[in-house]
Amino acid sequence: MTSAPGSRRQQAETLCQVIANRVPDLAGVAHLCTGWRDLAAHLTEAVGLPSTGMAHRADGVEVAIDHGQARVRVALALQWPHRAETVCQDIRATAADAANHVIGVTSCQVHVAIRDVHLPTCGDQPR
Amino acid sequence: MAVTGSLDPPALPCGRLVDSLWQRLDRLATDPHALTCPHCQAAARSLDTLRQTTDRLAAQPVEPPSDLTGRIMAVVRAEIRRGRDLPLPTPGGTASVSEYALAAVLRFAADQVPGVRGRSCGVDPVPGRPGHVRVRMGLAVRYGLPVVQAAEQARERITAAAVHYVGIVIDSLDVAVEDVYQERAEGAPR
């Protein structure tokens, strides 16, 4: 697949949105987690200022594209009883697939940060 | 952090506090650690972006959205609650788990033992051994239950859950029975 047109920044923005849309649908992902890394993006968005960084951030997802490689960070809440390792593998596969098909980048490095966990409520579990 | 009950500010993997980095942002060129530490440099870049954005905001006569402060404070509170990120060895790439998420899984594992409830849980990474932690867990045990047996069962569940669900190995697990509780009879007044 050839590279999609557009600057690296536009590619990062596109990839970021695609990943942010797909990851919450994966089994074992309760939701994406916003962190202090997203605060600058929140502030720029709130007053309509253009962001000047090379990385693009949506809530919980951060994408940078350098030298033909996509670097992705996904922060999420794990849904019990899914295993962290399986969920990480699914997220990596999803991000790599998106990078390849959406912007034509075949090298994708993904960091998965499990920031929270959703457990059954007391009423759901046998005691 | 929330797991230990204190309200320490968030720390970088190198041990530096984000607050301290923020205060010294203009003097980092004279700080030998910050000059070579990738964590400090990455955080400094993000903080610098935040400061530049804040400066631009301050210079503009704009009316911020009414929920802006609330949204930012919600993020700040959540970050403090979740604590540090612990490295999580996984095949195919890097991963991490927050102290809060790990402690929640471990407490839940203890809760699965009949008559046992997980309470306080402290997690510390083992230096030089990514994916290994030391854990301190406080338990409440139902009145009448053999305490030693209950604690032993909880220990087994906690250790197994850490490996199976999270992929973290517990090098040492200190269990303290902090409380005894009495089961309420059905329909009894609260």
Side-chain angles (χ1 to χ4, degrees):
Chain A
M1 170 139 193
T2 54
S3 257
S7 66
R8 280 187 299 167
R9 171 140 203 94
Q10 286 171 326
Q11 289 185 329
E13 184 175 345
T14 305
L15 182 58
C16 191
Q17 292 302 334
V18 170
I19 293 172
N21 285 336
R22 288 186 188 174
V23 167
D25 292 336
L26 295 176
V29 178
H31 58 77
L32 294 170
C33 285
T34 306
W36 67 270
R37 300 164 73 101
D38 301 299
L39 278 179
H42 269 267
L43 286 167
T44 51
E45 175 202 325
V47 295
L49 288 175
S51 173
T52 54
M54 285 310 292
H56 188 80
R57 296 179 180 86
D59 285 351
V61 180
E62 186 176 325
V63 173
I65 298 173
D66 288 313
H67 308 297
Q69 184 188 47
R71 285 180 290 114
V72 179
R73 183 183 187 273
V74 180
L76 61 102
L78 187 69
Q79 181 67 55
W80 178 275
H82 292 270
R83 300 179 63 193
E85 185 180 319
T86 313
V87 174
C88 289
Q89 281 173 352
D90 289 349
I91 290 170
R92 285 193 191 106
T94 300
D97 180 70
N100 188 15
H101 287 94
V102 177
I103 58 166
V105 170
T106 52
S107 175
C108 187
Q109 197 179 67
V110 183
H111 178 86
V112 181
I114 298 169
R115 299 290 290 147
D116 210 337
V117 61
H118 276 215
L119 299 164
T121 57
C122 291
D124 299 337
Q125 59 171 300
R127 292 203 66 96
Chain B
M1 303 298 169
V3 286
T4 57
S6 73
L7 288 172
D8 293 340
L12 299 170
C14 63
R16 283 280 172 96
L17 299 180
V18 175
D19 283 3
S20 136
L21 202 62
W22 173 257
Q23 285 162 8
R24 302 160 62 113
L25 208 52
D26 290 323
R27 303 192 303 276
L28 291 185
T30 59
D31 182 342
H33 170 84
L35 282 175
T36 54
C37 173
H39 305 294
C40 287
Q41 290 188 356
R45 280 194 296 274
S46 296
L47 289 173
D48 195 45
T49 304
L50 180 61
R51 185 171 65 174
Q52 287 175 26
T53 309
T54 309
D55 288 346
R56 282 204 300 271
L57 273 172
Q60 285 192 3
V62 292
E63 192 62 37
S66 57
D67 66 337
L68 182 62
T69 307
R71 281 160 59 190
I72 292 171
M73 288 313 295
V75 170
V76 170
R77 287 192 196 99
E79 285 293 274
I80 290 170
R81 184 172 53 93
R82 289 169 185 152
R84 290 176 296 180
D85 275 339
L86 308 169
L88 188 61
T90 52
T94 60
S96 58
V97 61
S98 71
E99 289 176 324
Y100 173 82
L102 178 59
V105 168
L106 302 185
R107 269 196 303 268
F108 186 72
D111 285 352
Q112 302 308 300
V113 178
V116 173
R117 289 177 186 167
R119 291 235 169 135
S120 59
C121 181
V123 178
D124 291 310
V126 178
R129 300 191 75 191
H132 289 247
V133 293
R134 297 190 184 101
V135 175
R136 304 173 308 281
M137 172 78 79
L139 301 176
V141 176
R142 189 174 62 217
Y143 176 74
L145 211 64
V147 170
V148 175
Q149 248 179 314
E152 196 50 45
Q153 284 180 6
R155 183 189 294 277
E156 286 170 14
R157 292 276 187 127
I158 292 164
T159 308
V163 173
H164 182 77
Y165 290 108
V166 188
I168 287 271
V169 177
I170 297 180
D171 278 13
S172 71
L173 171 57
D174 296 331
V175 171
V177 177
E178 296 174 341
D179 203 359
V180 174
Y181 70 93
Q182 205 149 13
E183 204 77 83
R184 261 192 211 97
E186 280 294 318
R190 288 188 171 257

